Amino acid sequence: DVCSSDLGGLALSFNDTIGLYDKQTIAPRLQHNADGTITTRADQDQAQALLGDNAPQRHVMRASMVWQSPTLSTGGTMQNIVSGLLSDWTVAVLWSGASGTAYSVGYSYTSNGANVNITGSPDFGGRVIITGDPGSGCSDDPLKQFNTAAFSGPAVGSVGLESGANYMRGCFVTQTDLSLSRKIRLPRGIAAEFRLDAFNLFNQSAVTARNTTMQLASPSTSSTITNLAYDATGAVVTSRSQPKNAGFGVATGYQSPRTMQMQLRISL
């Protein structure tokens, strides 16, 4: 969707790229038969339904405003001062917003958790088992971006179809950037241009990444997660509560903080 307008010194625009669907064909799940033939497994359609949706971002939006201040009339001393301060400024504002990207949870066993141990094949592994409501995938709690208690690891004998893909989404991220500039004509053909840029003007700090891999000791303890940000008493484990070495479900990335820059350019 695109909308734009020019209101005599004020220009506005807005666009929204909407992702409806992104279905992809997954690789064939092959079966090696006793007679030496190779056929597609009977659960190929089930695997396609579970894993074939890439779930694109629903919205990627941009809005902009550019305003050119008018040249004020001059006359007396005070009018000249006011005109000199307020005339001929250009103000530009860019707002951006994006829906969270889709993701799903993975697993890692400390021992006996290789693909061949879980599924019997080195070519593909199991998938996590969803035992409860995982949540939306975005939370105000940086230590628990989703319900970490809603998952367990796959068991020996898995066929890799315990859960689907992209069933949670990250946080909506929005940012406002500002640009303020003015060109001043000086005597003898000299021009001075001043520009101030502020990126992420309101210093917003949405979560952009989180640790989505749960660590488990072995398939025999597939419901005991060993890298949570909390211990058995509910106390925070300091070493797992920061983006570096983050525990399962902990935020690992944030949008860039506010930055500002100024420029003064003289043209002779």
PDB file of all heavy atoms in Angstrom, residues 103-133:
ATOM      1  N   TYR A 103       9.974 -17.492  13.928  1.00  0.00           N
ATOM      2  CA  TYR A 103      11.041 -18.401  14.370  1.00  0.00           C
ATOM      3  C   TYR A 103      10.436 -19.579  15.126  1.00  0.00           C
ATOM      4  O   TYR A 103       9.246 -19.583  15.482  1.00  0.00           O
ATOM      5  CB  TYR A 103      12.070 -17.663  15.220  1.00  0.00           C
ATOM      6  CG  TYR A 103      11.591 -17.218  16.581  1.00  0.00           C
ATOM      7  CD1 TYR A 103      11.801 -18.003  17.719  1.00  0.00           C
ATOM      8  CD2 TYR A 103      10.945 -16.000  16.755  1.00  0.00           C
ATOM      9  CE1 TYR A 103      11.378 -17.594  18.971  1.00  0.00           C
ATOM     10  CE2 TYR A 103      10.513 -15.576  17.997  1.00  0.00           C
ATOM     11  CZ  TYR A 103      10.730 -16.377  19.108  1.00  0.00           C
ATOM     12  OH  TYR A 103      10.306 -15.965  20.343  1.00  0.00           O
ATOM     13  N   SER A 104      11.251 -20.566  15.367  1.00  0.00           N
ATOM     14  CA  SER A 104      10.845 -21.731  16.156  1.00  0.00           C
ATOM     15  C   SER A 104      12.011 -22.140  17.043  1.00  0.00           C
ATOM     16  O   SER A 104      13.134 -21.646  16.902  1.00  0.00           O
ATOM     17  CB  SER A 104      10.400 -22.886  15.246  1.00  0.00           C
ATOM     18  OG  SER A 104      11.339 -23.126  14.208  1.00  0.00           O
ATOM     19  N   VAL A 105      11.750 -23.044  17.966  1.00  0.00           N
ATOM     20  CA  VAL A 105      12.741 -23.449  18.969  1.00  0.00           C
ATOM     21  C   VAL A 105      13.522 -24.668  18.481  1.00  0.00           C
ATOM     22  O   VAL A 105      12.972 -25.564  17.826  1.00  0.00           O
ATOM     23  CB  VAL A 105      12.032 -23.754  20.302  1.00  0.00           C
ATOM     24  CG1 VAL A 105      12.916 -24.552  21.253  1.00  0.00           C
ATOM     25  CG2 VAL A 105      11.605 -22.450  20.961  1.00  0.00           C
ATOM     26  N   GLY A 106      14.804 -24.683  18.822  1.00  0.00           N
ATOM     27  CA  GLY A 106      15.662 -25.830  18.528  1.00  0.00           C
ATOM     28  C   GLY A 106      16.174 -26.454  19.821  1.00  0.00           C
ATOM     29  O   GLY A 106      15.872 -25.989  20.926  1.00  0.00           O
ATOM     30  N   TYR A 107      16.974 -27.499  19.687  1.00  0.00           N
ATOM     31  CA  TYR A 107      17.462 -28.209  20.869  1.00  0.00           C
ATOM     32  C   TYR A 107      18.896 -28.664  20.651  1.00  0.00           C
ATOM     33  O   TYR A 107      19.404 -28.735  19.541  1.00  0.00           O
ATOM     34  CB  TYR A 107      16.579 -29.420  21.167  1.00  0.00           C
ATOM     35  CG  TYR A 107      16.766 -30.548  20.164  1.00  0.00           C
ATOM     36  CD1 TYR A 107      17.672 -31.584  20.393  1.00  0.00           C
ATOM     37  CD2 TYR A 107      16.062 -30.555  18.963  1.00  0.00           C
ATOM     38  CE1 TYR A 107      17.863 -32.603  19.471  1.00  0.00           C
ATOM     39  CE2 TYR A 107      16.243 -31.571  18.033  1.00  0.00           C
ATOM     40  CZ  TYR A 107      17.139 -32.586  18.284  1.00  0.00           C
ATOM     41  OH  TYR A 107      17.336 -33.576  17.347  1.00  0.00           O
ATOM     42  N   SER A 108      19.542 -28.987  21.764  1.00  0.00           N
ATOM     43  CA  SER A 108      20.887 -29.555  21.715  1.00  0.00           C
ATOM     44  C   SER A 108      21.058 -30.471  22.922  1.00  0.00           C
ATOM     45  O   SER A 108      20.807 -30.061  24.062  1.00  0.00           O
ATOM     46  CB  SER A 108      21.939 -28.441  21.751  1.00  0.00           C
ATOM     47  OG  SER A 108      23.245 -28.977  21.858  1.00  0.00           O
ATOM     48  N   TYR A 109      21.464 -31.735  22.666  1.00  0.00           N
ATOM     49  CA  TYR A 109      21.742 -32.683  23.747  1.00  0.00           C
ATOM     50  C   TYR A 109      23.242 -32.693  24.023  1.00  0.00           C
ATOM     51  O   TYR A 109      24.062 -32.693  23.101  1.00  0.00           O
ATOM     52  CB  TYR A 109      21.297 -34.093  23.360  1.00  0.00           C
ATOM     53  CG  TYR A 109      19.803 -34.319  23.468  1.00  0.00           C
ATOM     54  CD1 TYR A 109      19.049 -34.679  22.355  1.00  0.00           C
ATOM     55  CD2 TYR A 109      19.153 -34.205  24.695  1.00  0.00           C
ATOM     56  CE1 TYR A 109      17.683 -34.904  22.453  1.00  0.00           C
ATOM     57  CE2 TYR A 109      17.791 -34.427  24.808  1.00  0.00           C
ATOM     58  CZ  TYR A 109      17.060 -34.773  23.684  1.00  0.00           C
ATOM     59  OH  TYR A 109      15.710 -34.996  23.797  1.00  0.00           O
ATOM     60  N   THR A 110      23.597 -32.722  25.296  1.00  0.00           N
ATOM     61  CA  THR A 110      25.013 -32.772  25.661  1.00  0.00           C
ATOM     62  C   THR A 110      25.626 -34.111  25.269  1.00  0.00           C
ATOM     63  O   THR A 110      26.779 -34.186  24.824  1.00  0.00           O
ATOM     64  CB  THR A 110      25.186 -32.523  27.169  1.00  0.00           C
ATOM     65  OG1 THR A 110      24.623 -31.255  27.502  1.00  0.00           O
ATOM     66  CG2 THR A 110      26.659 -32.532  27.546  1.00  0.00           C
ATOM     67  N   SER A 111      24.866 -35.175  25.417  1.00  0.00           N
ATOM     68  CA  SER A 111      25.378 -36.507  25.056  1.00  0.00           C
ATOM     69  C   SER A 111      24.256 -37.327  24.423  1.00  0.00           C
ATOM     70  O   SER A 111      23.080 -37.154  24.728  1.00  0.00           O
ATOM     71  CB  SER A 111      25.928 -37.225  26.288  1.00  0.00           C
ATOM     72  OG  SER A 111      24.910 -37.432  27.255  1.00  0.00           O
ATOM     73  N   ASN A 112      24.663 -38.218  23.514  1.00  0.00           N
ATOM     74  CA  ASN A 112      23.741 -39.136  22.835  1.00  0.00           C
ATOM     75  C   ASN A 112      22.621 -38.406  22.105  1.00  0.00           C
ATOM     76  O   ASN A 112      21.513 -38.926  21.992  1.00  0.00           O
ATOM     77  CB  ASN A 112      23.144 -40.135  23.833  1.00  0.00           C
ATOM     78  CG  ASN A 112      24.183 -40.984  24.515  1.00  0.00           C
ATOM     79  OD1 ASN A 112      25.152 -41.426  23.889  1.00  0.00           O
ATOM     80  ND2 ASN A 112      24.020 -41.203  25.817  1.00  0.00           N
ATOM     81  N   GLY A 113      22.930 -37.216  21.597  1.00  0.00           N
ATOM     82  CA  GLY A 113      21.884 -36.433  20.945  1.00  0.00           C
ATOM     83  C   GLY A 113      22.136 -36.144  19.488  1.00  0.00           C
ATOM     84  O   GLY A 113      21.465 -35.295  18.898  1.00  0.00           O
ATOM     85  N   ALA A 114      23.086 -36.855  18.874  1.00  0.00           N
ATOM     86  CA  ALA A 114      23.319 -36.662  17.442  1.00  0.00           C
ATOM     87  C   ALA A 114      22.106 -37.150  16.654  1.00  0.00           C
ATOM     88  O   ALA A 114      21.288 -37.941  17.149  1.00  0.00           O
ATOM     89  CB  ALA A 114      24.576 -37.406  17.015  1.00  0.00           C
ATOM     90  N   ASN A 115      21.999 -36.680  15.411  1.00  0.00           N
ATOM     91  CA  ASN A 115      20.863 -37.082  14.578  1.00  0.00           C
ATOM     92  C   ASN A 115      20.708 -38.594  14.528  1.00  0.00           C
ATOM     93  O   ASN A 115      19.597 -39.128  14.634  1.00  0.00           O
ATOM     94  CB  ASN A 115      21.036 -36.533  13.158  1.00  0.00           C
ATOM     95  CG  ASN A 115      20.829 -35.037  13.088  1.00  0.00           C
ATOM     96  OD1 ASN A 115      20.374 -34.426  14.047  1.00  0.00           O
ATOM     97  ND2 ASN A 115      21.158 -34.450  11.952  1.00  0.00           N
ATOM     98  N   VAL A 116      21.809 -39.296  14.375  1.00  0.00           N
ATOM     99  CA  VAL A 116      21.734 -40.753  14.236  1.00  0.00           C
ATOM    100  C   VAL A 116      21.212 -41.406  15.514  1.00  0.00           C
ATOM    101  O   VAL A 116      20.592 -42.483  15.469  1.00  0.00           O
ATOM    102  CB  VAL A 116      23.115 -41.319  13.837  1.00  0.00           C
ATOM    103  CG1 VAL A 116      24.113 -41.187  14.982  1.00  0.00           C
ATOM    104  CG2 VAL A 116      22.996 -42.750  13.351  1.00  0.00           C
ATOM    105  N   ASN A 117      21.429 -40.747  16.659  1.00  0.00           N
ATOM    106  CA  ASN A 117      20.914 -41.292  17.920  1.00  0.00           C
ATOM    107  C   ASN A 117      19.406 -41.063  18.057  1.00  0.00           C
ATOM    108  O   ASN A 117      18.712 -41.858  18.694  1.00  0.00           O
ATOM    109  CB  ASN A 117      21.607 -40.646  19.117  1.00  0.00           C
ATOM    110  CG  ASN A 117      23.096 -40.903  19.153  1.00  0.00           C
ATOM    111  OD1 ASN A 117      23.884 -39.969  19.098  1.00  0.00           O
ATOM    112  ND2 ASN A 117      23.499 -42.162  19.234  1.00  0.00           N
ATOM    113  N   ILE A 118      18.924 -39.978  17.479  1.00  0.00           N
ATOM    114  CA  ILE A 118      17.515 -39.608  17.657  1.00  0.00           C
ATOM    115  C   ILE A 118      16.632 -40.208  16.569  1.00  0.00           C
ATOM    116  O   ILE A 118      15.593 -40.812  16.855  1.00  0.00           O
ATOM    117  CB  ILE A 118      17.368 -38.074  17.672  1.00  0.00           C
ATOM    118  CG1 ILE A 118      18.209 -37.467  18.793  1.00  0.00           C
ATOM    119  CG2 ILE A 118      15.904 -37.675  17.833  1.00  0.00           C
ATOM    120  CD1 ILE A 118      17.825 -37.943  20.172  1.00  0.00           C
ATOM    121  N   THR A 119      17.028 -40.045  15.323  1.00  0.00           N
ATOM    122  CA  THR A 119      16.178 -40.511  14.218  1.00  0.00           C
ATOM    123  C   THR A 119      16.711 -41.771  13.551  1.00  0.00           C
ATOM    124  O   THR A 119      16.016 -42.368  12.724  1.00  0.00           O
ATOM    125  CB  THR A 119      16.050 -39.413  13.151  1.00  0.00           C
ATOM    126  OG1 THR A 119      17.343 -39.161  12.567  1.00  0.00           O
ATOM    127  CG2 THR A 119      15.505 -38.124  13.742  1.00  0.00           C
ATOM    128  N   GLY A 120      17.943 -42.126  13.851  1.00  0.00           N
ATOM    129  CA  GLY A 120      18.552 -43.270  13.190  1.00  0.00           C
ATOM    130  C   GLY A 120      19.232 -42.912  11.897  1.00  0.00           C
ATOM    131  O   GLY A 120      19.859 -43.761  11.252  1.00  0.00           O
ATOM    132  N   SER A 121      19.153 -41.646  11.501  1.00  0.00           N
ATOM    133  CA  SER A 121      19.783 -41.191  10.256  1.00  0.00           C
ATOM    134  C   SER A 121      20.621 -39.954  10.531  1.00  0.00           C
ATOM    135  O   SER A 121      20.182 -39.051  11.257  1.00  0.00           O
ATOM    136  CB  SER A 121      18.718 -40.844   9.209  1.00  0.00           C
ATOM    137  OG  SER A 121      19.308 -40.180   8.099  1.00  0.00           O
ATOM    138  N   PRO A 122      21.828 -39.875   9.955  1.00  0.00           N
ATOM    139  CA  PRO A 122      22.632 -38.661  10.131  1.00  0.00           C
ATOM    140  C   PRO A 122      22.115 -37.492   9.304  1.00  0.00           C
ATOM    141  O   PRO A 122      22.549 -36.357   9.488  1.00  0.00           O
ATOM    142  CB  PRO A 122      24.024 -39.094   9.649  1.00  0.00           C
ATOM    143  CG  PRO A 122      23.752 -40.175   8.646  1.00  0.00           C
ATOM    144  CD  PRO A 122      22.536 -40.907   9.158  1.00  0.00           C
ATOM    145  N   ASP A 123      21.168 -37.750   8.398  1.00  0.00           N
ATOM    146  CA  ASP A 123      20.724 -36.722   7.461  1.00  0.00           C
ATOM    147  C   ASP A 123      19.712 -35.755   8.054  1.00  0.00           C
ATOM    148  O   ASP A 123      19.592 -34.617   7.599  1.00  0.00           O
ATOM    149  CB  ASP A 123      20.123 -37.368   6.213  1.00  0.00           C
ATOM    150  CG  ASP A 123      21.145 -38.200   5.441  1.00  0.00           C
ATOM    151  OD1 ASP A 123      22.338 -37.834   5.489  1.00  0.00           O
ATOM    152  OD2 ASP A 123      20.757 -39.200   4.820  1.00  0.00           O
ATOM    153  N   PHE A 124      18.932 -36.164   9.045  1.00  0.00           N
ATOM    154  CA  PHE A 124      17.966 -35.252   9.636  1.00  0.00           C
ATOM    155  C   PHE A 124      17.756 -35.598  11.101  1.00  0.00           C
ATOM    156  O   PHE A 124      17.930 -36.742  11.521  1.00  0.00           O
ATOM    157  CB  PHE A 124      16.631 -35.286   8.877  1.00  0.00           C
ATOM    158  CG  PHE A 124      15.863 -36.576   8.993  1.00  0.00           C
ATOM    159  CD1 PHE A 124      14.866 -36.731   9.935  1.00  0.00           C
ATOM    160  CD2 PHE A 124      16.145 -37.656   8.153  1.00  0.00           C
ATOM    161  CE1 PHE A 124      14.154 -37.918  10.052  1.00  0.00           C
ATOM    162  CE2 PHE A 124      15.444 -38.836   8.250  1.00  0.00           C
ATOM    163  CZ  PHE A 124      14.442 -38.981   9.211  1.00  0.00           C
ATOM    164  N   GLY A 125      17.412 -34.563  11.873  1.00  0.00           N
ATOM    165  CA  GLY A 125      17.220 -34.742  13.300  1.00  0.00           C
ATOM    166  C   GLY A 125      15.764 -34.681  13.692  1.00  0.00           C
ATOM    167  O   GLY A 125      14.874 -34.530  12.850  1.00  0.00           O
ATOM    168  N   GLY A 126      15.519 -34.786  14.988  1.00  0.00           N
ATOM    169  CA  GLY A 126      14.165 -34.638  15.493  1.00  0.00           C
ATOM    170  C   GLY A 126      13.807 -33.172  15.638  1.00  0.00           C
ATOM    171  O   GLY A 126      14.622 -32.287  15.390  1.00  0.00           O
ATOM    172  N   ARG A 127      12.590 -32.926  16.055  1.00  0.00           N
ATOM    173  CA  ARG A 127      12.142 -31.570  16.336  1.00  0.00           C
ATOM    174  C   ARG A 127      11.597 -31.527  17.756  1.00  0.00           C
ATOM    175  O   ARG A 127      11.161 -32.541  18.304  1.00  0.00           O
ATOM    176  CB  ARG A 127      11.076 -31.119  15.333  1.00  0.00           C
ATOM    177  CG  ARG A 127      11.624 -31.050  13.899  1.00  0.00           C
ATOM    178  CD  ARG A 127      10.609 -30.412  12.964  1.00  0.00           C
ATOM    179  NE  ARG A 127      10.363 -29.017  13.291  1.00  0.00           N
ATOM    180  CZ  ARG A 127      11.146 -28.005  12.905  1.00  0.00           C
ATOM    181  NH1 ARG A 127      12.242 -28.235  12.175  1.00  0.00           N
ATOM    182  NH2 ARG A 127      10.843 -26.767  13.237  1.00  0.00           N
ATOM    183  N   VAL A 128      11.637 -30.346  18.329  1.00  0.00           N
ATOM    184  CA  VAL A 128      11.195 -30.221  19.719  1.00  0.00           C
ATOM    185  C   VAL A 128       9.715 -30.580  19.840  1.00  0.00           C
ATOM    186  O   VAL A 128       8.942 -30.445  18.883  1.00  0.00           O
ATOM    187  CB  VAL A 128      11.438 -28.794  20.259  1.00  0.00           C
ATOM    188  CG1 VAL A 128      12.900 -28.433  20.208  1.00  0.00           C
ATOM    189  CG2 VAL A 128      10.599 -27.787  19.497  1.00  0.00           C
ATOM    190  N   ILE A 129       9.339 -31.046  21.011  1.00  0.00           N
ATOM    191  CA  ILE A 129       7.948 -31.359  21.305  1.00  0.00           C
ATOM    192  C   ILE A 129       7.343 -30.171  22.045  1.00  0.00           C
ATOM    193  O   ILE A 129       7.910 -29.692  23.037  1.00  0.00           O
ATOM    194  CB  ILE A 129       7.846 -32.632  22.170  1.00  0.00           C
ATOM    195  CG1 ILE A 129       8.473 -33.816  21.426  1.00  0.00           C
ATOM    196  CG2 ILE A 129       6.396 -32.930  22.535  1.00  0.00           C
ATOM    197  CD1 ILE A 129       8.606 -35.058  22.291  1.00  0.00           C
ATOM    198  N   ILE A 130       6.220 -29.660  21.550  1.00  0.00           N
ATOM    199  CA  ILE A 130       5.536 -28.548  22.201  1.00  0.00           C
ATOM    200  C   ILE A 130       4.529 -29.134  23.189  1.00  0.00           C
ATOM    201  O   ILE A 130       3.562 -29.789  22.802  1.00  0.00           O
ATOM    202  CB  ILE A 130       4.841 -27.649  21.167  1.00  0.00           C
ATOM    203  CG1 ILE A 130       5.876 -27.089  20.176  1.00  0.00           C
ATOM    204  CG2 ILE A 130       4.104 -26.499  21.859  1.00  0.00           C
ATOM    205  CD1 ILE A 130       5.278 -26.268  19.053  1.00  0.00           C
ATOM    206  N   THR A 131       4.771 -28.891  24.468  1.00  0.00           N
ATOM    207  CA  THR A 131       3.950 -29.496  25.518  1.00  0.00           C
ATOM    208  C   THR A 131       2.932 -28.527  26.110  1.00  0.00           C
ATOM    209  O   THR A 131       2.131 -28.918  26.965  1.00  0.00           O
ATOM    210  CB  THR A 131       4.853 -30.012  26.645  1.00  0.00           C
ATOM    211  OG1 THR A 131       5.624 -28.914  27.175  1.00  0.00           O
ATOM    212  CG2 THR A 131       5.811 -31.074  26.123  1.00  0.00           C
ATOM    213  N   GLY A 132       2.955 -27.277  25.721  1.00  0.00           N
ATOM    214  CA  GLY A 132       2.031 -26.275  26.246  1.00  0.00           C
ATOM    215  C   GLY A 132       1.982 -25.085  25.321  1.00  0.00           C
ATOM    216  O   GLY A 132       2.452 -25.134  24.177  1.00  0.00           O
ATOM    217  N   ASP A 133       1.437 -23.979  25.789  1.00  0.00           N
ATOM    218  CA  ASP A 133       1.342 -22.758  24.989  1.00  0.00           C
ATOM    219  C   ASP A 133       2.679 -22.029  25.039  1.00  0.00           C
ATOM    220  O   ASP A 133       3.072 -21.534  26.095  1.00  0.00           O
ATOM    221  CB  ASP A 133       0.230 -21.865  25.536  1.00  0.00           C
ATOM    222  CG  ASP A 133       0.062 -20.579  24.729  1.00  0.00           C
ATOM    223  OD1 ASP A 133       0.734 -20.432  23.689  1.00  0.00           O
ATOM    224  OD2 ASP A 133      -0.742 -19.725  25.146  1.00  0.00           O
TER     225      ASP A 133
END
